[in-house]
DNA sequence: CGTGGATTTGAATCACCTCAAAGGTCGTGG
DNA sequence: CCACGACCTTTGAGGTGATTCAAATCCACG
């Protein structure tokens, strides 16, 4: 019913550019020099904000663009044939979404805004031809996909091996680290998604999320006030999550 | 202790080429014309077979090559910091492994042979420069990574939403389809991996796998004899798995 | 032909789910 | 600005599918 097109109709006015964007060190332009960044900037479309609940693209639609989140947050999810949704990721500012569409020419998932969100749209055909010219851009795209694969494989491990507390701890720390990379506090932040979304993402019942949050508060590991979260004891959370504080275990298991 | 290098020392003698390989329509050369395929063929290294249990590469090692399975089968798995392994995929002939290394320059997982296996090794630096020249190759690489992402996201759905029977049915059908694409029977095949590997991959206990196999046999859905499997009633299995027979649900959920 | 690993089967337990209901929170409209 | 309703979150009680533990059987391979 509601179209997914309206969201990115062009909008005139002062628009940020990659060159001045505070996120360019985290985003696609990462490894580009100034002139290459300018070429990338030229093909980027910046649309009007999409509102909470609106779709950026939908599973099955033709894969036409890749998107970078400028402000706000989205969730991406796949639909099982019985209609159940499985959230596969949350996407904060500077993160790229849609690349999985490379598989067969259709988006394999749906992207929905968790709050008012602005995105940079990068039309595929133009990205392709630019990538033909700029090996660095091509590598950055591959890296981004590699990161996505690694994330998904970590999730498989989480879903298959971790219990409820480990899952929630892992989740909170993941979000924490991502905010930190963006220059925000790693211990005090606001979760853009609902408890239901968290439970879906982590493969648990909402009630379980709520209970674990409560237990973590009783143990003085965190403090919550609605969507606001304070990590009181990140060290213990890291232990709980089964992660090393610094590198994500990394090369620790040589023998 | 045991090095992962020995496996792909060069081996002289008659070696197959992409041009004559029966798998080239499923493999990386997929979209290449003859002369491009020849250029790809030139950089491929074909080593001696790796034996069951040997590693092709190990989590944390520098990402130097991508591999295509020629014969045999491998599993790839990640190690949790507590040493537990989570199998993220099984890889049959013609399938590419290692691309996830693009993330940060190290393999994010370990690849181990499930049986005697031969692979084509494609050194990364040469693949890179060839990809600079051949847009089709580049697209094929991106497609392969997109496929990997879609696979992993399907696994997330499986691990988070499906019960034991649904998981096993999905698994059997996935293997079945992959054999079919390679020209083998879709109803009568040999599983290259152990029950333990299956259980790990599906996020279940070994005993559960065994029980579901037994139940499926009682209900005349399958017949097993060790690693040999016959699918007696694929239709019911498809229902059980929550999949549509034909396309993997695909664009069925328009409204 | 024996041995170690893999597989199967049974019984008891448990972590998480489901169901039910009581607060909370937020946005909307009067 | 407040009241209402819808939805989200929390808490409790009870049920259950899968796990764990234990043990028998099967199988491959030297």
């Amino acid at each position: 019913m509601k179209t997914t097109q309206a969201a990115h109709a062009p909008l005139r006015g002062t628009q940020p550019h990659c060159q001045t964007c505070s996120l360019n060190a985290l985003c696609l332009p990462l490894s580009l020099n100034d002139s290459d960044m300018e070429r990338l900037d030229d093909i980027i479309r910046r649309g009007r904000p999409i509102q909470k609940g609106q779709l950026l693209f939908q599973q099955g639609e033709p894969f036409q663009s890749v998107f970078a989140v400028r402000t706000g947050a989205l969730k991406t999810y796949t639909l099982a044939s019985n209609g159940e949704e499985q959230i596969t990721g949350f996407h904060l500012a500077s993160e790229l979404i849609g690349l999985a569409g490379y598989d067969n020419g259709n988006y394999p998932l749906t992207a929905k805004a968790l709050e008012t969100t602005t995105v940079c749209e990068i039309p595929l055909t133009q990205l392709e031809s630019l990538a033909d010219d700029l090996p660095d851009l091509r590598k950055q795209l591959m890296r981004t996909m590699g990161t996505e694969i690694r994330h998904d494989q970590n999730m498989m491990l989480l879903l298959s091996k971790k219990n409820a507390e480990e899952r929630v701890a892992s989740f909170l720390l993941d979000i924490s680290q991502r905010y930190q990379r963006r220059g925000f506090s790693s211990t005090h932040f606001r979760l853009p998604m609902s408890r239901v979304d968290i439970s879906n993402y982590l493969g648990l019942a909402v009630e379980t999320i709520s209970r674990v949050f409560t237990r973590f508060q009783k143990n003085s590991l965190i403090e919550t006030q609605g969507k606001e979260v304070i990590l009181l004891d990140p060290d213990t959370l890291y232990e709980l999550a089964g992660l090393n504080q610094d590198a994500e275990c990394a090369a620790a298991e040589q023998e």
Side-chain angles (χ1 to χ4, degrees), chain A:
Chain A
M1 181 102 289
K2 102 176 57 157
T3 170
T4 62
Q5 302 310 322
H8 22 99
L11 179 75
R12 289 294 85 208
T14 56
Q15 285 290 325
H17 290 280
C18 288
Q19 296 85 335
T20 57
C21 178
S22 64
L23 298 168
N24 65 21
L26 295 168
C27 194
L28 195 55
L30 174 53
S31 51
L32 300 184
N33 62 39
D34 284 357
S35 78
D36 289 350
M37 198 185 296
E38 212 160 315
R39 294 182 62 187
L40 176 63
D41 186 69
D42 283 345
I43 68 171
I44 288 183
R45 298 208 291 243
R46 298 177 174 84
R48 73 164 56 92
I50 51 179
Q51 298 301 317
K52 177 173 177 171
Q54 274 194 302
L55 304 183
L56 184 57
F57 53 79
Q58 211 171 145
Q59 188 166 337
E61 284 181 0
F63 175 40
Q64 286 171 333
S65 295
V66 168
F67 298 88
V69 182
R70 193 136 51 91
T71 64
L74 300 107
K75 62 176 173 181
T76 47
Y77 56 90
T78 57
L79 287 174
S81 46
N82 61 14
E84 271 191 313
E85 87 183 40
Q86 169 65 41
I87 296 177
T88 55
F90 298 110
H91 306 271
L92 310 179
S94 89
E95 290 169 349
L96 234 54
I97 50 182
L99 275 174
Y102 258 109
D103 179 19
N104 62 5
N106 296 89
Y107 293 108
L109 37 70
T110 300
K112 182 182 274 190
L114 293 168
E115 55 196 28
T116 305
T117 296
T118 55
V119 298
C120 301
E121 175 173 4
I122 310 160
L124 188 64
T125 51
Q126 295 169 61
L127 180 62
E128 293 263 88
S129 51
L130 194 57
D132 286 341
D133 277 11
L134 307 178
D136 287 343
L137 180 62
R138 178 173 61 69
K139 277 187 202 120
Q140 184 56 28
L141 286 171
M142 303 275 286
R143 257 197 297 277
T144 304
M145 295 184 85
T147 304
E148 173 72 34
I149 292 175
R150 195 160 58 85
H151 166 270
D152 290 351
Q153 294 186 344
N154 278 335
M155 283 305 292
M156 288 170 65
L157 196 150
L158 178 146
L159 291 170
S160 146
K161 295 280 186 302
K162 296 187 178 180
N163 65 26
E165 295 202 347
E166 292 168 341
R167 294 184 197 194
V168 173
S170 303
F171 170 74
L172 289 173
L173 291 169
D174 176 48
I175 298 287
S176 160
Q177 289 174 339
R178 284 154 72 184
Y179 276 125
Q180 189 169 32
R181 289 193 62 206
R182 284 162 187 74
F184 298 113
S185 168
S186 67
T187 57
H188 189 302
F189 47 85
R190 186 171 185 286
L191 297 173
M193 72 296 285
S194 71
R195 299 288 193 269
V196 176
D197 284 338
I198 298 173
S199 72
N200 180 301
Y201 180 60
L202 296 180
L204 297 168
V206 205
E207 293 94 329
T208 303
I209 300 294
S210 182
R211 279 186 255 265
V212 172
F213 270 49
T214 305
R215 215 176 309 155
F216 281 0
Q217 288 194 78
K218 283 203 182 117
N219 300 344
S220 305
L221 300 179
I222 65 172
E223 213 173 294
T224 67
Q225 175 63 249
K227 295 196 188 316
E228 297 290 333
V229 177
I230 304 174
L231 305 189
L232 298 174
D233 186 352
D235 294 358
T236 305
L237 284 174
Y238 272 103
E239 272 178 48
L240 251 175
L243 299 172
N244 291 11
Q245 172 101 245
D246 19 59
E248 215 172 70
C249 71
E253 45 270 291
Q254 311 290 8
E255 59 209 289

